[in-house]
């Protein structure tokens, strides 16, 4: 009885390698870094990374589908600027809606470029990234825009028992995304298309439609991320997140254990990845590592984490979640 | 099973590599145990530290350390100077990314620093961070670049170069050189940029009530090329004898203006730059092509900021909110006597 229990845990750990890696990192950081292990810092970790996490949710859909989206970093700065800059003329609610619609539209264009125009996803979304960057600089006139609405700012900085509203939204979205991936037709199609597009097509799945929807989801979360960042930072500058936020989001999803080739992964993996990367930067900051070394360390640690993940995977049969 | 052991070894290497980074740092600036901090305390420059055997812990978020020479020098000076003052400095680089800066401020708050210094990535974005630290009962000050007026209520003080004062002092030097009477042109920085408006304000303050007249002001967009074009047009419009000097927003623009003068072979116009933050520009003062500029040294900037931060960390009262650093006006005649430290 006891043994089967241990075996169960072991097989769970071997399948979901992000869990033991997260535990190791967390224990290591708690032991060696004072002030890491405190309630306030753990909550700080969650609150800092909630926006990135929300974008990682959208990215998870696209990555399971076998693609990735480079455009969210500048899409985010564009929607941050729009949601702040339109507040005086349209009102806060409408400004947010417009920003989210822009995010969704950009996602739809990405989806169109990839599925209908048959442009490689890397190049198409890279072009979109540049386009959005230009648009956000043009819209904001190179200036930082301050959101005027009190409620908007209060939402960005407000907390319940130390957990920010944005984190709560993040957790809710995690459950929604989990439900969609696990229990809806679209979710199952996403795994099928990402796993093997040809057999999915032969099985009668509309691959293009699935991919298109996933890009739209990713665009939406990118737009939402921008709105939330504007509220969180209390300001929207066109350079926000530039130059590497999209790469960190993709890295988080991959560190979590989603396969870049598609077909494998879930949002909980991405949550783990976001927390691991957040923890690395948090620990490096707490340790006061010299600026240039800190960037170098982040790169090295990501490689080590991925290697550990690879080694732990070797025992495990390649199996779809 | 072997593979799993290997994985665990890798993981421990990872955690140890983390602590190794921290360890290096600890030996240089931080003292992790109480005993060693006691032994280091007497070596600090301040004698007042008898009562508090603990080193003051100061957090500093930088805008972009690798951005230019000024910031790089500032960063290294702040670190070495903090060490000599016996400060434990936690210096983080935001790499010009607001989102990183916001996270770093939060990390420093959890680290419970005694004072937090923010060099904001941008003035508006710094407000939320300052507010957050203030709410956590950590005194906050801004360095070099001030944050938006709406955030000043959260700050203890600001230390940095005063653009208005630089404008005033360089212009006074120019008035003196012109013998109290003359005509000059102004090449402005980027329009709408707070530094531009403040420097121009200083220039206007200084000429008020004097016989020195501002003929025309145009923007050089803070760029060398643009400023050169503006100056070329000025030189056509104002022939020899009709103008005595040109004042530029910064040394970069001044070099543009100097290039235009050289090309037109005109020597009747003196060139001034309101302020200069680049050590290489000093060679232009040496050979006399640049008649005067307020020297804004990153070394002075960093040291003054750390002095103030130490005061704030000790709970001393800071009398004034705006604390400007020394920016002496350098001219070809006094450059040697200023003994400018190279950066």
């Amino acid at each position: 009885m006891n043994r089967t229990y241990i075996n169960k845990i072991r097989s769970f750990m071997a399948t979901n390698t992000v869990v033991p890696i997260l535990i190791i990192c967390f224990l290591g950081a708690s032991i060696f870094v004072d002030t890491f292990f405190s309630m306030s810092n753990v909550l700080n970790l969650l609150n800092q990374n909630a926006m990135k996490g929300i974008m990682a949710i959208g990215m998870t859909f696209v990555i399971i589908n076998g693609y990735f989206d480079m455009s969210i970093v500048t899409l985010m700065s564009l929607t941050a600027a729009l949601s702040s800059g339109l507040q005086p003329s349209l009102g806060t609610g409408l400004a947010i809606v417009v920003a989210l619609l822009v995010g969704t539209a950009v996602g739809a264009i990405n989806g169109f470029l990839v599925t209908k125009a048959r442009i490689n996803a890397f190049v198409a979304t890279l072009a979109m990234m540049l386009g959005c960057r230009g648009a956000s600089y043009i819209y904001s006139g190179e200036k930082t825009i301050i959101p005027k609405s009190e409620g908007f700012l209060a939402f960005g900085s407000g907390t319940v028992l130390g957990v920010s509203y944005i984190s709560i939204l993040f957790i809710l979205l995690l459950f929604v995304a989990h439900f969609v991936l696990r229990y809806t037709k679209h979710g199952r199609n996403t795994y099928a298309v990402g796993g093997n597009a040809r057999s999915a097509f032969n099985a009668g799945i509309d691959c293009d439609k699935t991919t298109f929807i996933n890009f739209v989801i990713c665009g939406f979360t990118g737009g939402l991320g921008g709105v939330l960042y504007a509220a969180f930072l209390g300001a929207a500058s066109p350079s926000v997140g530039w130059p590497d936020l999209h790469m960190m989001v993709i890295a988080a999803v991959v560190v979590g254990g989603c396969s870049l080739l598609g077909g494998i992964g879930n949002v909980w993996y991405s949550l783990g990845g976001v927390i691991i990367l957040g923890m690395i930067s948090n620990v490096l900051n707490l340790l006061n590592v010299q600026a240039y070394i800190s960037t170098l360390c982040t790169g090295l640690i990501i490689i080590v984490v991925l290697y550990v993940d690879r080694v732990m995977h070797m025992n495990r049969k390649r199996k779809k979640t | 099973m072997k593979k799993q052991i290997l994985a665990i070894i890798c993981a421990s290497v990872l955690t140890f590599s983390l602590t190794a980074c921290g360890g290096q740092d600890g030996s240089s600036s931080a003292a992790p145990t109480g005993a060693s901090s006691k032994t280091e305390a007497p070596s600090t420059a301040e004698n007042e530290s008898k009562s508090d055997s603990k080193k003051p812990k100061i957090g500093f978020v930088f805008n972009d350390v690798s951005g230019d020479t000024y910031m790089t020098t500032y960063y290294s000076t702040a670190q070495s100077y903090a060490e000599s003052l016996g400060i434990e400095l936690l210096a983080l680089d935001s790499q010009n990314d607001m989102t990183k800066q916001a996270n770093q401020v939060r990390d420093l708050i959890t680290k419970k620093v005694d004072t937090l210094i923010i060099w904001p990535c941008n003035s508006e974005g710094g407000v939320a961070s300052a507010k957050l630290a203030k709410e956590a009962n950590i005194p906050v000050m801004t360095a070099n670049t001030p944050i938006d007026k709406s955030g000043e209520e959260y700050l203890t003080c600001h230390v940095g170069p005063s653009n208005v004062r630089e404008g005033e002092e360089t212009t006074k030097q120019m008035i003196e050189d012109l013998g109290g009477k003359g005509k000059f042109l102004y090449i402005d920085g980027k329009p709408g940029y707070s530094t531009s408006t403040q420097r121009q304000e200083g220039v206007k303050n200084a000429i008020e009530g004097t016989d020195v007249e501002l003929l025309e002001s145009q923007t050089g967009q803070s760029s060398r090329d643009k400023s050169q074009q503006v100056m070329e047009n000025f030189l056509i419009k104002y022939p020899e004898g009709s103008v005595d000097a040109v004042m530029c927003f910064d040394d970069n623009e001044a070099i543009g203006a100097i290039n235009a003068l050289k090309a037109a072979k005109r020597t009747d116009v003196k060139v001034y730059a309101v302020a200069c933050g680049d050590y290489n520009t000093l060679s232009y003062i040496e050979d006399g092509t640049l008649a005067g500029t307020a020297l804004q040294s990153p070394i002075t900037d960093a040291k003054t900021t750390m002095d103030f931060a130490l005061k704030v960390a000790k709970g001393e009262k800071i009398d004034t909110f705006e604390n400007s650093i020394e920016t002496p006006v350098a001219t070809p005649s006094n450059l040697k006597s200023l003994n400018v430290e190279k950066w």
Side-chain angles (χ1 to χ4, degrees), chain B residues 6-50:
Chain B
L6 183 63
I8 289 164
I9 292 170
C10 281
S12 36
V13 167
L14 171 119
T15 44
F16 277 113
S17 67
L18 275 180
T19 46
C21 298
Q24 260 177 9
D25 200 77
S27 61
S28 62
S29 67
T33 60
S36 58
S37 79
K38 264 178 209 153
T39 54
E40 278 177 32
S43 68
T44 56
E46 304 287 317
N47 294 328
E48 305 148 53
S49 61
K50 271 181 217 157

Side-chain angles (χ1 to χ4, degrees), chain B residues 30-312:
Chain B
T33 60
S36 58
S37 79
K38 264 178 209 153
T39 54
E40 278 177 32
S43 68
T44 56
E46 304 287 317
N47 294 328
E48 305 148 53
S49 61
K50 271 181 217 157
S51 55
D52 49 280
S53 59
K54 226 179 103 239
K55 278 184 172 185
K57 196 155 62 176
I58 292 174
F60 200 149
V61 283
F62 287 88
N63 161 23
D64 187 3
V65 169
S66 46
D68 59 31
T69 339
Y70 189 90
M71 298 194 226
T72 312
T73 315
Y74 188 113
Y75 177 69
S76 54
T77 311
Q79 281 188 319
S80 56
Y81 189 63
E83 207 175 327
S84 73
L85 287 180
I87 295 172
E88 182 186 348
L89 182 68
L90 303 156
L92 303 177
D93 178 16
S94 311
Q95 295 164 354
N96 214 357
D97 183 346
M98 270 167 76
T99 62
K100 276 201 191 91
Q101 190 162 59
N103 284 352
Q104 286 169 342
V105 165
R106 280 166 171 77
D107 288 341
L108 289 175
I109 292 172
T110 25
K111 189 93 186 182
K112 295 201 176 62
V113 291
D114 298 316
T115 307
L116 178 67
I117 313 171
I118 302 176
W119 180 335
C121 287
N122 82 43
S123 302
E124 291 79 6
V127 177
S129 295
K131 181 167 178 250
L132 203 72
K134 178 75 185 169
E135 279 166 0
N137 285 322
I138 293 173
V140 200
M141 50 190 276
T142 45
N144 190 283
T145 312
I147 57 170
D148 191 67
K149 286 266 181 266
S150 62
E152 276 180 7
E153 54 177 308
Y154 310 117
L155 299 178
T156 311
C157 64
H158 169 76
V159 182
S162 160
N163 293 313
V164 178
R165 210 180 74 178
E166 285 170 355
E168 286 171 359
E169 285 178 358
T170 313
T171 313
K172 273 183 197 148
Q173 180 65 42
M174 180 187 76
I175 296 170
E176 199 186 308
D177 291 348
L178 296 180
K181 195 171 158 35
K183 291 178 177 133
F184 79 106
L185 300 158
Y186 186 66
I187 304 182
D188 200 3
K190 271 187 192 159
Y193 182 46
S194 63
T195 315
S196 317
T197 30
Q198 287 163 358
R199 285 187 183 168
Q200 196 173 20
E201 190 191 322
V203 173
K204 285 188 175 154
N205 288 348
I207 55 168
E208 222 175 60
T210 65
D211 285 335
V212 173
E213 189 193 345
L214 174 58
L215 289 174
E216 193 177 339
S217 166
Q218 273 193 31
T219 173
Q221 299 286 358
S222 313
S223 111
R224 199 174 286 196
D225 309 348
K226 189 76 192 14
S227 154
Q228 186 166 344
Q229 286 172 23
V230 171
M231 192 64 201
E232 280 160 4
N233 296 341
F234 273 158
L235 288 176
I236 295 164
K237 196 168 165 187
Y238 299 98
E240 212 150 329
S242 63
V243 62
D244 303 304
V246 58
M247 177 71 74
C248 302
F249 162 76
D250 67 1
D251 51 329
N252 221 356
E253 285 195 348
I255 294 170
I258 288 170
N259 290 343
L261 280 165
K262 268 186 195 152
K265 297 200 172 66
R266 291 264 299 256
T267 50
D268 59 320
V269 184
K270 284 188 169 171
V271 183
Y272 293 84
V274 172
C276 144
D278 186 352
Y279 186 79
N280 298 324
T281 308
L282 294 190
S283 64
Y284 286 86
I285 304 176
E286 252 167 35
D287 65 21
T289 41
L290 185 62
T293 182
L295 270 187
Q296 186 180 316
S297 157
I299 299 172
T300 321
D301 199 357
K303 285 185 176 174
T304 318
T305 308
M306 293 321 295
D307 284 337
F308 271 95
L310 186 62
K311 278 188 196 166
V312 173

